[in-house]
Each structure stands twice: as C-alpha cells, then as structure tokens.
Amino acid sequence: MALPLTDRGSVPLRLDDLSLSFAADVPVLDGVALEVEAGSTLALLGPSGCGKTTLLRVIAGLERPDAGTVRVGDRLLTGPGVHVAPEQRHVGMVFQDWALFGHLDVARNVGFGLPRSERRSSPRIDRSLELVGMTEFASRRPDTLSGGQQQRVALARAIAPEPSVLLLDEPFSNLDSSMRVRVRSELHELLGELGITSVFVTHDQDEAFVLGSTVAVMSSGRVVQCGTPEDLYERPVDAWVAAFVGDADFVPGTAHGDTVETPLGVLPLADRRTGAVRVLVRPEHLRVVADPDGTPTDGPAGLRGRVVLVEYVGRATTVHVDVGDLVLRVCTPGGPTVGAGEDVIVQHGGGVVQALDPASGAPS
Ligand code: ATP
C-alpha cells in the first residue's frame, strides 16, 4: 500500500458558471458548475468535441474562460480579474499522448516539473517512481518501455511536484484494448491510494464508471447530468444520457402513479408519474423465450417478435428481436438459447423501470 503522496491533505475542486467561446456565439463551455470532493475522482464523459479537454485546460490555467471561477480548496485560481499561472496552481496534468521526452531517461522525465535543483535527483522523483512501481526503470529511455509503462511514467511526472489536483486527459488512448483494461485497474488502485483530488476525461463509459466516484456527462459544453455511476445508469435524466451511458431501448407507456402500462406488461415505476411516457429498457432487464406456435394470444405474456440477430461474446449473448415497430435488444448470461429467424416472446424481468418524458432527447 502506497503512502499518501503529500502531507498537505486533500482539497476539493469547485467550478462555478464557467463559460468560454473561441468563436462568437459558439460556446465551447456553457455555464459549467461542478464540485469534486477532496480526494475523490470526477470523470468527465461526453462525445468528441463536447468541451471536455477545454474544461481540463481551464482548470490547469492553460485557457482563460470568458466567465466563471475555478477554486481549489480556499484558493481562487480563476475568476474576475484573477488568473493564477499554470505553474503556480499545484495542478498536475497527464496528457493524452503522455508527452514524454524521448531524449531524457525516466528519472529526468519525472523530475521535469520540479525546481531546477531537484531535476536530476530528488526524493520526490524516487517516491513518485516507487508509487507507480517504476523504480527499476529509472535510467531507461521512454522508447524502450511498453505503453503501460510509459503511461505510468507520465503519471509519476504529474504527481512528483505533489499537486493538489491531478488532471488526466484520456490517458489510455495510446493503449490497445487488453492493455487499457489492465492499466485502468492499476490507475484505479493508485488513485485510491494517493487520495488526490482528480478529474479524468474520457469518452468511454466503462472507463468513466470504473474510475469516477462521480461522473459528469457533458454535451455541447454543458453538464447534462452529474452523479454516481449508478445514478446515471439507473436514473438518467433523459433518453440521450440513458443511451450514452449504456445500451438502451425505449417502449411507449402510460403511467398510472407507481405503475406503467407498456407493451411488455404493467411494470413498477421508479418515480410516480401519470400520462404518456417513454420507458427505458436495458437489454439485461429482458429475456427471450421461444414461441413455438407463434400464436399471438396464447402462451406466456410478453411482446412477440422474430430474432433478427444473435451476438455471442462468451460471457453473454445479445439477441436483437424485431417486435414490429422497433427492435429490442435482450442480453442474457452465457450462450445463445434462440437462433436468428426464430419466433420468440420478449419478457421484462419485472424490476422497477424509469419513465422519461415522451419528447426526451432522441438518442443518436
Ligand atoms: P475529444 O473527445 O475529441 O478530445 P473534447 O470533448 O475534449 O473532444 P474539446 O477538445 O474541448 O472537446 O473541443 C471542444 C470544441 O472546441 C471543439 O469544437 C474544438 O474544435 C473547439 N476548440 C478547442 N480548442 C480550440 C481552440 N484553441 N480554438 C478554436 N476552437 C477550439
């Protein structure tokens, strides 16, 4: 178990009403307000171009917003008439491409952000390398390291000056998919041990959910929803968020207080509603059973349809069922139990469902 990086203690990060436009009338950040608790990790999740990196750069002091404030603990870093220089913010950053210097060895890469007297050798370099498990590679050049090792050097360099806040911009984008999952787990463990307030940018929902104690979903420069991964998955504010954070299909429904009438049957509602709604159904909430006689009125309750696609990925199978005016996805553990072209009945497991406004943003 690593020791805490700094004895300064963790501090919260607070962003209020941040707005920034590079071109007139096209806001890249539009009233962003977020709070990251001391020692916790916030994941910024959103599609390409929604403003995630720009927000990170504003926190780092690399961009000046048109309006709004950035506070770390009691320190105002950005605000009306205030702009603390990036090097005086105590904010560390791990860039997308890691930005390691090929001509410097690992130890000197890690020492790069330290005062001149500490750059060649210092207890802070040794400590950071130890924290990321790279001590034995101190004299190697970055191009002799694997992608995962280079990523750890970039992290060691960011934490060596003992920052109050650590910013990570898609730090896994240079890794292949099997390495990503392993390095993600390592980083998850390390961030927990460091207890450093962190903001992590990604467009990958799994990464956001694994690393973020809180996740902020952004779209077009705005925070659409911020909450725990469970909040976002179980209680998305609209259909767009529902589909962005996981596989989501929607069926029409009529809500009657704590239940909703749907083509899949009468289901319990998470929140009381009345009137027309869109009901969120996740593939794992559904199951398929064979409908051998194809009789529309007899047999078990559910929605009748025909299997159009079966996708088996080892641990689970997703079956796409055409039920008339839409295709529902059904995900069950293990191998396929039905085949393409078969008539089936789609049933809901009966758990509580989330009702969204009928006009709730169409998923793209
Ligand atoms: P990605 O996931 O692709 O990295 P992102 O969510 O991080 O995207 P940003 O890099 O913050 O998005 O960019 C948001 C928008 O601002 C984009 O339309 C981008 O083209 C624009 N933008 C970013 N930096 C500048 C700049 N310096 N000048 C003009 N436009 C910019």
Side-chain angles (χ1 to χ4, degrees), residues 240-306:
W240 186 84
V241 172
F244 196 75
V245 300
D247 290 333
D249 289 315
F250 303 90
V251 292
T254 307
H256 304 284
D258 51 13
T259 59
V260 60
E261 237 178 290
T262 78
L264 289 159
V266 176
L267 300 169
L269 269 179
D271 300 303
R272 290 182 68 82
R273 292 283 294 253
T274 52
V277 291
R278 286 180 97 186
V279 178
L280 166 63
V281 281
R282 301 277 189 202
E284 68 274 18
H285 297 159
L286 302 176
R287 57 181 175 239
V288 277
V289 292
D291 182 21
D293 56 9
T295 316
T297 50
D298 295 340
L303 199 49
R304 288 177 160 75
R306 181 159 293 169

Short mmCIF file of all heavy atoms in Angstrom, two decimals, residues 240-306:
data_model
loop_
_atom_site.label_atom_id
_atom_site.label_comp_id
_atom_site.label_asym_id
_atom_site.label_seq_id
_atom_site.Cartn_x
_atom_site.Cartn_y
_atom_site.Cartn_z
N TRP A 240 -31.14 10.65 -24.07
CA TRP A 240 -29.77 10.80 -24.59
C TRP A 240 -28.76 10.28 -23.57
O TRP A 240 -27.87 9.49 -23.92
CB TRP A 240 -29.49 12.27 -24.94
CG TRP A 240 -28.17 12.45 -25.61
CD1 TRP A 240 -27.89 12.29 -26.93
CD2 TRP A 240 -26.92 12.74 -24.96
NE1 TRP A 240 -26.54 12.48 -27.15
CE2 TRP A 240 -25.93 12.77 -25.97
CE3 TRP A 240 -26.55 12.99 -23.64
CZ2 TRP A 240 -24.60 13.04 -25.70
CZ3 TRP A 240 -25.21 13.26 -23.36
CH2 TRP A 240 -24.26 13.28 -24.39
N VAL A 241 -28.88 10.69 -22.32
CA VAL A 241 -27.96 10.20 -21.28
C VAL A 241 -28.13 8.69 -21.13
O VAL A 241 -27.13 7.95 -21.05
CB VAL A 241 -28.20 10.91 -19.92
CG1 VAL A 241 -27.37 10.26 -18.83
CG2 VAL A 241 -27.87 12.40 -20.02
N ALA A 242 -29.36 8.22 -21.12
CA ALA A 242 -29.62 6.77 -20.96
C ALA A 242 -28.85 5.99 -22.01
O ALA A 242 -28.21 4.97 -21.72
CB ALA A 242 -31.11 6.48 -21.07
N ALA A 243 -28.89 6.45 -23.27
CA ALA A 243 -28.24 5.72 -24.35
C ALA A 243 -26.74 5.96 -24.38
O ALA A 243 -25.99 5.11 -24.87
CB ALA A 243 -28.86 6.13 -25.69
N PHE A 244 -26.28 7.10 -23.83
CA PHE A 244 -24.84 7.38 -23.85
C PHE A 244 -24.11 6.54 -22.82
O PHE A 244 -22.96 6.17 -23.01
CB PHE A 244 -24.59 8.88 -23.63
CG PHE A 244 -23.20 9.28 -24.02
CD1 PHE A 244 -22.85 9.39 -25.36
CD2 PHE A 244 -22.23 9.47 -23.07
CE1 PHE A 244 -21.56 9.71 -25.73
CE2 PHE A 244 -20.93 9.79 -23.43
CZ PHE A 244 -20.60 9.91 -24.77
N VAL A 245 -24.77 6.25 -21.69
CA VAL A 245 -24.08 5.52 -20.62
C VAL A 245 -24.33 4.00 -20.68
O VAL A 245 -23.90 3.28 -19.79
CB VAL A 245 -24.43 6.06 -19.21
CG1 VAL A 245 -24.05 7.51 -19.09
CG2 VAL A 245 -25.89 5.83 -18.87
N GLY A 246 -25.02 3.51 -21.68
CA GLY A 246 -25.23 2.07 -21.78
C GLY A 246 -26.16 1.76 -22.93
O GLY A 246 -26.68 2.67 -23.58
N ASP A 247 -26.38 0.47 -23.18
CA ASP A 247 -27.34 0.09 -24.21
C ASP A 247 -28.74 0.39 -23.69
O ASP A 247 -29.08 0.01 -22.56
CB ASP A 247 -27.22 -1.40 -24.54
CG ASP A 247 -25.91 -1.70 -25.26
OD1 ASP A 247 -25.39 -0.78 -25.94
OD2 ASP A 247 -25.41 -2.82 -25.12
N ALA A 248 -29.53 1.08 -24.49
CA ALA A 248 -30.86 1.47 -24.03
C ALA A 248 -31.86 1.37 -25.17
O ALA A 248 -31.57 1.81 -26.29
CB ALA A 248 -30.82 2.90 -23.51
N ASP A 249 -32.99 0.77 -24.91
CA ASP A 249 -34.12 0.83 -25.83
C ASP A 249 -35.28 1.45 -25.09
O ASP A 249 -35.27 1.55 -23.85
CB ASP A 249 -34.48 -0.58 -26.34
CG ASP A 249 -33.40 -1.11 -27.30
OD1 ASP A 249 -32.96 -0.34 -28.18
OD2 ASP A 249 -32.98 -2.27 -27.13
N PHE A 250 -36.28 1.88 -25.84
CA PHE A 250 -37.39 2.60 -25.22
C PHE A 250 -38.70 2.06 -25.77
O PHE A 250 -38.82 1.80 -26.97
CB PHE A 250 -37.30 4.10 -25.53
CG PHE A 250 -35.98 4.69 -25.07
CD1 PHE A 250 -34.89 4.71 -25.93
CD2 PHE A 250 -35.83 5.16 -23.79
CE1 PHE A 250 -33.66 5.21 -25.52
CE2 PHE A 250 -34.60 5.66 -23.36
CZ PHE A 250 -33.52 5.69 -24.22
N VAL A 251 -39.69 1.87 -24.88
CA VAL A 251 -41.02 1.48 -25.34
C VAL A 251 -41.99 2.54 -24.85
O VAL A 251 -41.76 3.16 -23.80
CB VAL A 251 -41.43 0.07 -24.82
CG1 VAL A 251 -40.58 -1.01 -25.45
CG2 VAL A 251 -41.41 0.00 -23.31
N PRO A 252 -43.09 2.73 -25.59
CA PRO A 252 -44.07 3.73 -25.13
C PRO A 252 -44.82 3.20 -23.91
O PRO A 252 -44.94 1.98 -23.73
CB PRO A 252 -45.00 3.86 -26.34
CG PRO A 252 -44.83 2.60 -27.11
CD PRO A 252 -43.45 2.09 -26.84
N GLY A 253 -45.31 4.10 -23.09
CA GLY A 253 -46.06 3.66 -21.91
C GLY A 253 -47.04 4.71 -21.46
O GLY A 253 -46.96 5.88 -21.84
N THR A 254 -48.00 4.25 -20.62
CA THR A 254 -48.92 5.18 -19.97
C THR A 254 -48.77 4.97 -18.47
O THR A 254 -49.01 3.87 -17.96
CB THR A 254 -50.38 4.92 -20.41
OG1 THR A 254 -50.41 4.93 -21.84
CG2 THR A 254 -51.31 5.97 -19.86
N ALA A 255 -48.33 6.03 -17.80
CA ALA A 255 -48.05 5.91 -16.37
C ALA A 255 -49.33 6.16 -15.55
O ALA A 255 -50.13 7.04 -15.88
CB ALA A 255 -46.97 6.91 -15.97
N HIS A 256 -49.49 5.34 -14.50
CA HIS A 256 -50.63 5.50 -13.58
C HIS A 256 -50.06 5.52 -12.16
O HIS A 256 -50.15 4.52 -11.45
CB HIS A 256 -51.60 4.32 -13.71
CG HIS A 256 -52.11 4.11 -15.11
ND1 HIS A 256 -53.07 4.90 -15.69
CD2 HIS A 256 -51.79 3.18 -16.05
CE1 HIS A 256 -53.31 4.48 -16.93
NE2 HIS A 256 -52.54 3.43 -17.17
N GLY A 257 -49.42 6.58 -11.76
CA GLY A 257 -48.87 6.64 -10.40
C GLY A 257 -47.62 5.80 -10.28
O GLY A 257 -46.59 6.14 -10.85
N ASP A 258 -47.70 4.69 -9.55
CA ASP A 258 -46.47 3.91 -9.36
C ASP A 258 -46.33 2.72 -10.30
O ASP A 258 -45.46 1.88 -10.12
CB ASP A 258 -46.32 3.48 -7.89
CG ASP A 258 -47.55 2.81 -7.36
OD1 ASP A 258 -48.43 2.46 -8.19
OD2 ASP A 258 -47.65 2.63 -6.13
N THR A 259 -47.21 2.65 -11.32
CA THR A 259 -47.02 1.61 -12.35
C THR A 259 -47.15 2.25 -13.74
O THR A 259 -47.67 3.35 -13.88
CB THR A 259 -48.08 0.49 -12.25
OG1 THR A 259 -49.37 1.08 -12.39
CG2 THR A 259 -47.96 -0.30 -10.95
N VAL A 260 -46.65 1.51 -14.73
CA VAL A 260 -46.77 1.99 -16.10
C VAL A 260 -47.19 0.82 -17.00
O VAL A 260 -46.68 -0.29 -16.88
CB VAL A 260 -45.44 2.64 -16.58
CG1 VAL A 260 -44.27 1.66 -16.56
CG2 VAL A 260 -45.58 3.24 -17.97
N GLU A 261 -48.17 1.13 -17.86
CA GLU A 261 -48.66 0.13 -18.81
C GLU A 261 -47.79 0.20 -20.06
O GLU A 261 -47.65 1.27 -20.66
CB GLU A 261 -50.07 0.57 -19.24
CG GLU A 261 -51.16 -0.41 -19.01
CD GLU A 261 -52.48 0.24 -19.46
OE1 GLU A 261 -52.94 1.16 -18.77
OE2 GLU A 261 -52.98 -0.20 -20.51
N THR A 262 -47.19 -0.93 -20.42
CA THR A 262 -46.31 -0.94 -21.60
C THR A 262 -46.63 -2.17 -22.44
O THR A 262 -47.30 -3.09 -21.96
CB THR A 262 -44.81 -1.04 -21.19
OG1 THR A 262 -44.52 -2.40 -20.85
CG2 THR A 262 -44.46 -0.14 -20.03
N PRO A 263 -46.11 -2.23 -23.66
CA PRO A 263 -46.32 -3.44 -24.48
C PRO A 263 -45.68 -4.68 -23.84
O PRO A 263 -45.99 -5.80 -24.22
CB PRO A 263 -45.59 -3.10 -25.79
CG PRO A 263 -45.47 -1.62 -25.81
CD PRO A 263 -45.39 -1.19 -24.39
N LEU A 264 -44.79 -4.47 -22.86
CA LEU A 264 -44.15 -5.60 -22.17
C LEU A 264 -44.91 -5.98 -20.90
O LEU A 264 -44.46 -6.82 -20.13
CB LEU A 264 -42.70 -5.23 -21.79
CG LEU A 264 -41.74 -5.12 -22.97
CD1 LEU A 264 -40.53 -4.27 -22.60
CD2 LEU A 264 -41.29 -6.52 -23.42
N GLY A 265 -46.04 -5.33 -20.64
CA GLY A 265 -46.84 -5.60 -19.45
C GLY A 265 -46.85 -4.39 -18.53
O GLY A 265 -46.29 -3.33 -18.86
N VAL A 266 -47.52 -4.55 -17.38
CA VAL A 266 -47.59 -3.46 -16.39
C VAL A 266 -46.37 -3.59 -15.49
O VAL A 266 -46.11 -4.64 -14.90
CB VAL A 266 -48.90 -3.55 -15.57
CG1 VAL A 266 -48.92 -2.48 -14.48
CG2 VAL A 266 -50.11 -3.41 -16.50
N LEU A 267 -45.59 -2.51 -15.40
CA LEU A 267 -44.31 -2.57 -14.68
C LEU A 267 -44.28 -1.53 -13.57
O LEU A 267 -44.88 -0.45 -13.70
CB LEU A 267 -43.16 -2.30 -15.67
CG LEU A 267 -43.05 -3.29 -16.83
CD1 LEU A 267 -42.05 -2.79 -17.88
CD2 LEU A 267 -42.63 -4.67 -16.33
N PRO A 268 -43.56 -1.82 -12.48
CA PRO A 268 -43.46 -0.83 -11.39
C PRO A 268 -42.54 0.34 -11.80
O PRO A 268 -41.53 0.12 -12.46
CB PRO A 268 -42.83 -1.63 -10.24
CG PRO A 268 -42.17 -2.81 -10.87
CD PRO A 268 -42.86 -3.09 -12.18
N LEU A 269 -42.93 1.54 -11.40
CA LEU A 269 -42.16 2.74 -11.76
C LEU A 269 -41.24 3.17 -10.63
O LEU A 269 -41.60 3.10 -9.46
CB LEU A 269 -43.13 3.88 -12.03
CG LEU A 269 -43.63 4.09 -13.44
CD1 LEU A 269 -44.61 5.26 -13.47
CD2 LEU A 269 -42.46 4.39 -14.37
N ALA A 270 -40.06 3.66 -11.01
CA ALA A 270 -39.10 4.16 -10.01
C ALA A 270 -39.66 5.41 -9.33
O ALA A 270 -39.52 5.59 -8.12
CB ALA A 270 -37.77 4.46 -10.68
N ASP A 271 -40.29 6.30 -10.10
CA ASP A 271 -40.86 7.53 -9.55
C ASP A 271 -42.29 7.66 -10.03
O ASP A 271 -42.59 7.32 -11.17
CB ASP A 271 -40.06 8.76 -10.04
CG ASP A 271 -38.61 8.67 -9.62
OD1 ASP A 271 -38.35 8.56 -8.41
OD2 ASP A 271 -37.74 8.68 -10.52
N ARG A 272 -43.13 8.19 -9.19
CA ARG A 272 -44.56 8.31 -9.55
C ARG A 272 -44.72 9.25 -10.76
O ARG A 272 -44.12 10.32 -10.80
CB ARG A 272 -45.37 8.85 -8.37
CG ARG A 272 -45.51 7.86 -7.22
CD ARG A 272 -46.36 8.45 -6.12
NE ARG A 272 -47.75 8.60 -6.54
CZ ARG A 272 -48.67 7.64 -6.54
NH1 ARG A 272 -48.33 6.42 -6.11
NH2 ARG A 272 -49.90 7.86 -6.93
N ARG A 273 -45.51 8.81 -11.71
CA ARG A 273 -45.79 9.63 -12.90
C ARG A 273 -47.22 9.35 -13.34
O ARG A 273 -47.80 8.33 -12.99
CB ARG A 273 -44.89 9.20 -14.08
CG ARG A 273 -43.43 9.50 -13.95
CD ARG A 273 -43.11 10.95 -14.19
NE ARG A 273 -43.37 11.37 -15.57
CZ ARG A 273 -42.41 11.63 -16.47
NH1 ARG A 273 -41.15 11.46 -16.14
NH2 ARG A 273 -42.71 12.06 -17.67
N THR A 274 -47.78 10.25 -14.17
CA THR A 274 -49.04 9.95 -14.85
C THR A 274 -48.92 10.41 -16.30
O THR A 274 -48.15 11.32 -16.61
CB THR A 274 -50.25 10.69 -14.20
OG1 THR A 274 -49.94 12.06 -14.11
CG2 THR A 274 -50.62 10.13 -12.84
N GLY A 275 -49.69 9.74 -17.15
CA GLY A 275 -49.74 10.14 -18.56
C GLY A 275 -48.72 9.43 -19.43
O GLY A 275 -48.06 8.48 -19.01
N ALA A 276 -48.60 9.95 -20.67
CA ALA A 276 -47.74 9.30 -21.68
C ALA A 276 -46.26 9.47 -21.31
O ALA A 276 -45.84 10.57 -20.91
CB ALA A 276 -48.02 9.92 -23.04
N VAL A 277 -45.49 8.40 -21.42
CA VAL A 277 -44.05 8.42 -21.11
C VAL A 277 -43.30 7.54 -22.10
O VAL A 277 -43.90 6.77 -22.84
CB VAL A 277 -43.76 7.89 -19.66
CG1 VAL A 277 -44.27 8.84 -18.60
CG2 VAL A 277 -44.32 6.48 -19.48
N ARG A 278 -41.96 7.67 -22.09
CA ARG A 278 -41.07 6.69 -22.75
C ARG A 278 -40.46 5.88 -21.64
O ARG A 278 -39.96 6.44 -20.66
CB ARG A 278 -39.93 7.39 -23.49
CG ARG A 278 -40.32 8.08 -24.75
CD ARG A 278 -39.08 8.72 -25.35
NE ARG A 278 -38.51 7.85 -26.39
CZ ARG A 278 -37.37 8.10 -27.00
NH1 ARG A 278 -36.64 9.14 -26.66
NH2 ARG A 278 -36.92 7.30 -27.94
N VAL A 279 -40.48 4.57 -21.79
CA VAL A 279 -39.96 3.72 -20.73
C VAL A 279 -38.61 3.14 -21.17
O VAL A 279 -38.49 2.57 -22.26
CB VAL A 279 -40.96 2.57 -20.41
CG1 VAL A 279 -40.39 1.65 -19.34
CG2 VAL A 279 -42.29 3.17 -19.94
N LEU A 280 -37.62 3.33 -20.30
CA LEU A 280 -36.26 2.84 -20.58
C LEU A 280 -36.19 1.34 -20.30
O LEU A 280 -36.55 0.89 -19.21
CB LEU A 280 -35.27 3.58 -19.67
CG LEU A 280 -33.86 3.01 -19.56
CD1 LEU A 280 -33.14 3.05 -20.90
CD2 LEU A 280 -33.06 3.79 -18.51
N VAL A 281 -35.74 0.58 -21.30
CA VAL A 281 -35.48 -0.85 -21.04
C VAL A 281 -34.03 -1.16 -21.43
O VAL A 281 -33.59 -0.86 -22.53
CB VAL A 281 -36.46 -1.81 -21.79
CG1 VAL A 281 -37.79 -1.89 -21.09
CG2 VAL A 281 -36.63 -1.46 -23.24
N ARG A 282 -33.29 -1.69 -20.48
CA ARG A 282 -31.92 -2.12 -20.71
C ARG A 282 -31.95 -3.57 -21.16
O ARG A 282 -32.78 -4.36 -20.66
CB ARG A 282 -31.10 -2.01 -19.42
CG ARG A 282 -31.03 -0.61 -18.81
CD ARG A 282 -29.96 0.20 -19.47
NE ARG A 282 -29.70 1.46 -18.79
CZ ARG A 282 -29.14 2.50 -19.40
NH1 ARG A 282 -28.81 2.43 -20.69
NH2 ARG A 282 -28.91 3.61 -18.74
N PRO A 283 -31.02 -3.98 -22.02
CA PRO A 283 -31.03 -5.37 -22.53
C PRO A 283 -31.02 -6.42 -21.43
O PRO A 283 -31.63 -7.48 -21.57
CB PRO A 283 -29.75 -5.44 -23.37
CG PRO A 283 -29.49 -4.04 -23.78
CD PRO A 283 -29.97 -3.17 -22.66
N GLU A 284 -30.33 -6.12 -20.30
CA GLU A 284 -30.25 -7.12 -19.22
C GLU A 284 -31.54 -7.21 -18.40
O GLU A 284 -31.67 -8.09 -17.56
CB GLU A 284 -29.03 -6.85 -18.32
CG GLU A 284 -29.09 -5.60 -17.48
CD GLU A 284 -28.61 -4.34 -18.20
OE1 GLU A 284 -28.54 -4.35 -19.45
OE2 GLU A 284 -28.31 -3.34 -17.52
N HIS A 285 -32.48 -6.28 -18.63
CA HIS A 285 -33.76 -6.35 -17.93
C HIS A 285 -34.74 -7.28 -18.65
O HIS A 285 -35.82 -7.57 -18.14
CB HIS A 285 -34.41 -4.95 -17.85
CG HIS A 285 -33.59 -3.97 -17.06
ND1 HIS A 285 -33.74 -2.61 -17.18
CD2 HIS A 285 -32.62 -4.18 -16.14
CE1 HIS A 285 -32.88 -2.00 -16.37
NE2 HIS A 285 -32.19 -2.94 -15.73
N LEU A 286 -34.37 -7.71 -19.86
CA LEU A 286 -35.29 -8.50 -20.69
C LEU A 286 -34.81 -9.94 -20.81
O LEU A 286 -33.64 -10.24 -20.59
CB LEU A 286 -35.38 -7.88 -22.09
CG LEU A 286 -35.85 -6.43 -22.17
CD1 LEU A 286 -35.80 -5.94 -23.62
CD2 LEU A 286 -37.27 -6.28 -21.61
N ARG A 287 -35.73 -10.82 -21.17
CA ARG A 287 -35.34 -12.19 -21.52
C ARG A 287 -36.18 -12.63 -22.71
O ARG A 287 -37.23 -12.05 -22.99
CB ARG A 287 -35.49 -13.14 -20.33
CG ARG A 287 -36.88 -13.17 -19.77
CD ARG A 287 -36.99 -14.11 -18.57
NE ARG A 287 -38.32 -13.98 -18.01
CZ ARG A 287 -38.59 -13.62 -16.76
NH1 ARG A 287 -37.61 -13.36 -15.93
NH2 ARG A 287 -39.83 -13.54 -16.35
N VAL A 288 -35.70 -13.68 -23.40
CA VAL A 288 -36.48 -14.21 -24.53
C VAL A 288 -36.85 -15.66 -24.25
O VAL A 288 -36.04 -16.40 -23.68
CB VAL A 288 -35.72 -14.20 -25.88
CG1 VAL A 288 -35.77 -12.88 -26.55
CG2 VAL A 288 -34.32 -14.73 -25.74
N VAL A 289 -38.05 -16.02 -24.62
CA VAL A 289 -38.42 -17.44 -24.59
C VAL A 289 -38.94 -17.81 -25.97
O VAL A 289 -39.49 -16.96 -26.69
CB VAL A 289 -39.48 -17.75 -23.50
CG1 VAL A 289 -38.91 -17.57 -22.11
CG2 VAL A 289 -40.73 -16.90 -23.68
N ALA A 290 -38.73 -19.06 -26.34
CA ALA A 290 -39.20 -19.50 -27.66
C ALA A 290 -40.73 -19.43 -27.71
O ALA A 290 -41.41 -19.63 -26.70
CB ALA A 290 -38.72 -20.92 -27.91
N ASP A 291 -41.24 -19.13 -28.88
CA ASP A 291 -42.70 -19.04 -29.08
C ASP A 291 -43.03 -20.01 -30.21
O ASP A 291 -43.28 -19.61 -31.34
CB ASP A 291 -43.06 -17.59 -29.46
CG ASP A 291 -44.55 -17.40 -29.64
OD1 ASP A 291 -45.34 -18.21 -29.11
OD2 ASP A 291 -44.92 -16.42 -30.32
N PRO A 292 -43.00 -21.32 -29.90
CA PRO A 292 -43.02 -22.30 -30.98
C PRO A 292 -44.24 -22.22 -31.88
O PRO A 292 -44.12 -22.35 -33.09
CB PRO A 292 -42.98 -23.64 -30.24
CG PRO A 292 -43.23 -23.35 -28.81
CD PRO A 292 -42.99 -21.89 -28.58
N ASP A 293 -45.43 -21.94 -31.29
CA ASP A 293 -46.60 -21.93 -32.17
C ASP A 293 -46.86 -20.56 -32.78
O ASP A 293 -47.69 -20.40 -33.66
CB ASP A 293 -47.85 -22.44 -31.42
CG ASP A 293 -48.13 -21.64 -30.16
OD1 ASP A 293 -47.46 -20.60 -29.98
OD2 ASP A 293 -49.00 -22.05 -29.38
N GLY A 294 -46.15 -19.54 -32.30
CA GLY A 294 -46.31 -18.21 -32.86
C GLY A 294 -47.71 -17.65 -32.69
O GLY A 294 -48.09 -16.70 -33.36
N THR A 295 -48.50 -18.23 -31.76
CA THR A 295 -49.89 -17.78 -31.59
C THR A 295 -49.90 -16.46 -30.83
O THR A 295 -49.33 -16.37 -29.75
CB THR A 295 -50.70 -18.82 -30.79
OG1 THR A 295 -50.37 -20.10 -31.32
CG2 THR A 295 -52.19 -18.57 -30.90
N PRO A 296 -50.52 -15.42 -31.37
CA PRO A 296 -50.41 -14.13 -30.73
C PRO A 296 -51.14 -14.00 -29.39
O PRO A 296 -50.83 -13.13 -28.62
CB PRO A 296 -51.00 -13.16 -31.76
CG PRO A 296 -51.76 -13.98 -32.71
CD PRO A 296 -51.26 -15.38 -32.64
N THR A 297 -52.12 -14.85 -29.08
CA THR A 297 -52.91 -14.62 -27.87
C THR A 297 -52.63 -15.62 -26.76
O THR A 297 -52.82 -15.31 -25.59
CB THR A 297 -54.42 -14.66 -28.19
OG1 THR A 297 -54.68 -15.85 -28.94
CG2 THR A 297 -54.83 -13.45 -28.98
N ASP A 298 -52.16 -16.82 -27.10
CA ASP A 298 -51.92 -17.82 -26.06
C ASP A 298 -50.49 -17.72 -25.54
O ASP A 298 -49.70 -16.94 -26.03
CB ASP A 298 -52.14 -19.24 -26.62
CG ASP A 298 -53.60 -19.44 -27.02
OD1 ASP A 298 -54.44 -18.67 -26.52
OD2 ASP A 298 -53.87 -20.34 -27.84
N GLY A 299 -50.19 -18.58 -24.59
CA GLY A 299 -48.80 -18.69 -24.14
C GLY A 299 -48.44 -17.58 -23.17
O GLY A 299 -49.28 -16.78 -22.75
N PRO A 300 -47.14 -17.54 -22.79
CA PRO A 300 -46.70 -16.59 -21.77
C PRO A 300 -46.84 -15.13 -22.22
O PRO A 300 -46.78 -14.84 -23.41
CB PRO A 300 -45.22 -16.96 -21.57
CG PRO A 300 -44.85 -17.84 -22.69
CD PRO A 300 -46.09 -18.37 -23.33
N ALA A 301 -47.02 -14.22 -21.21
CA ALA A 301 -47.18 -12.80 -21.51
C ALA A 301 -45.86 -12.23 -22.02
O ALA A 301 -44.80 -12.74 -21.72
CB ALA A 301 -47.62 -12.06 -20.26
N GLY A 302 -45.96 -11.16 -22.80
CA GLY A 302 -44.75 -10.51 -23.32
C GLY A 302 -45.02 -9.98 -24.71
O GLY A 302 -46.16 -9.92 -25.17
N LEU A 303 -43.97 -9.59 -25.35
CA LEU A 303 -44.07 -8.99 -26.68
C LEU A 303 -43.53 -9.97 -27.69
O LEU A 303 -42.38 -10.41 -27.59
CB LEU A 303 -43.24 -7.70 -26.65
CG LEU A 303 -43.46 -6.62 -27.68
CD1 LEU A 303 -44.94 -6.27 -27.84
CD2 LEU A 303 -42.68 -5.38 -27.25
N ARG A 304 -44.39 -10.30 -28.68
CA ARG A 304 -43.95 -11.30 -29.66
C ARG A 304 -43.11 -10.66 -30.75
O ARG A 304 -43.36 -9.53 -31.16
CB ARG A 304 -45.18 -11.98 -30.26
CG ARG A 304 -45.82 -12.90 -29.26
CD ARG A 304 -47.08 -13.56 -29.75
NE ARG A 304 -47.32 -14.74 -28.92
CZ ARG A 304 -47.78 -14.68 -27.69
NH1 ARG A 304 -48.03 -13.51 -27.12
NH2 ARG A 304 -47.96 -15.79 -26.99
N GLY A 305 -42.12 -11.43 -31.22
CA GLY A 305 -41.27 -10.90 -32.28
C GLY A 305 -40.44 -11.99 -32.91
O GLY A 305 -40.60 -13.18 -32.60
N ARG A 306 -39.57 -11.57 -33.81
CA ARG A 306 -38.71 -12.52 -34.51
C ARG A 306 -37.25 -12.11 -34.32
O ARG A 306 -36.91 -10.92 -34.43
CB ARG A 306 -39.07 -12.52 -36.00
CG ARG A 306 -38.23 -13.49 -36.82
CD ARG A 306 -38.93 -13.86 -38.11
NE ARG A 306 -40.14 -14.63 -37.86
CZ ARG A 306 -41.06 -14.91 -38.79
NH1 ARG A 306 -40.90 -14.48 -40.01
NH2 ARG A 306 -42.13 -15.62 -38.49
#
